[in-house]
Amino acid sequence: MTEPRPAAPEPAVPEVEWRLRMAAAERGVWTGTQLRRLLAERAGLDLSPASVSALFTKQPSQVKLSTLAALCAALDCAPGDLLALRPAGPAAVSASTGLTDRQPAPAPSRRVLATRSLPPL
């Protein structure tokens, strides 16, 4: 008889961070209503208020490429502005910052066009 082979380790798949809210805020778009209007005007996409709200406030499990293209057209950005990859693996806590490697690093300071603060991450 042959001995069973040890299971091969599964490759670490990077985690995807949805950054629509931050990308919109950097362009002065603060509400779902504003984003919905831009999607209709610039990309010809008419999404329901509930769909825009879900995209704006939650990390989607999937996004149609046509929707991603419309978001990029509406916000005048690239897909990389809306999606960020983070390496997967166990979360290690940094002794100096107390943050895990899965928590986003503080954003660099940016000039904000309006008097509003940036949305929470």
Side-chain angles (χ1 to χ4, degrees):
M1 286 191 125
T2 60
E3 292 183 29
R5 288 185 179 174
E10 296 209 13
V13 177
E15 293 182 20
V16 178
E17 178 185 359
W18 183 240
R19 298 183 33 83
L20 174 62
R21 189 173 183 123
M22 184 63 73
E26 289 170 349
R27 290 157 179 80
V29 178
W30 297 97
T31 66
T33 303
Q34 289 175 312
L35 179 59
R36 187 169 182 252
R37 187 176 307 120
L38 284 175
L39 283 166
E41 290 172 0
R42 295 183 183 176
L45 182 63
D46 185 27
L47 289 178
S48 70
S51 295
V52 174
S53 177
L55 285 171
F56 210 58
T57 59
K58 301 175 190 171
Q59 170 129 349
S61 59
Q62 60 186 2
V63 179
K64 286 182 174 181
L65 290 178
S66 59
T67 303
L68 183 62
L71 288 166
C72 290
L75 295 173
D76 192 27
C77 67
D81 296 326
L82 302 178
L83 301 166
L85 294 179
R86 277 196 251 151
V93 177
S94 167
S96 61
T97 64
L99 297 174
T100 67
D101 59 357
R102 292 188 182 198
Q103 291 172 314
S109 62
R110 295 185 176 132
R111 183 174 160 251
V112 178
L113 300 177
T115 58
R116 294 182 175 181
S117 62
L118 292 177
L121 296 177

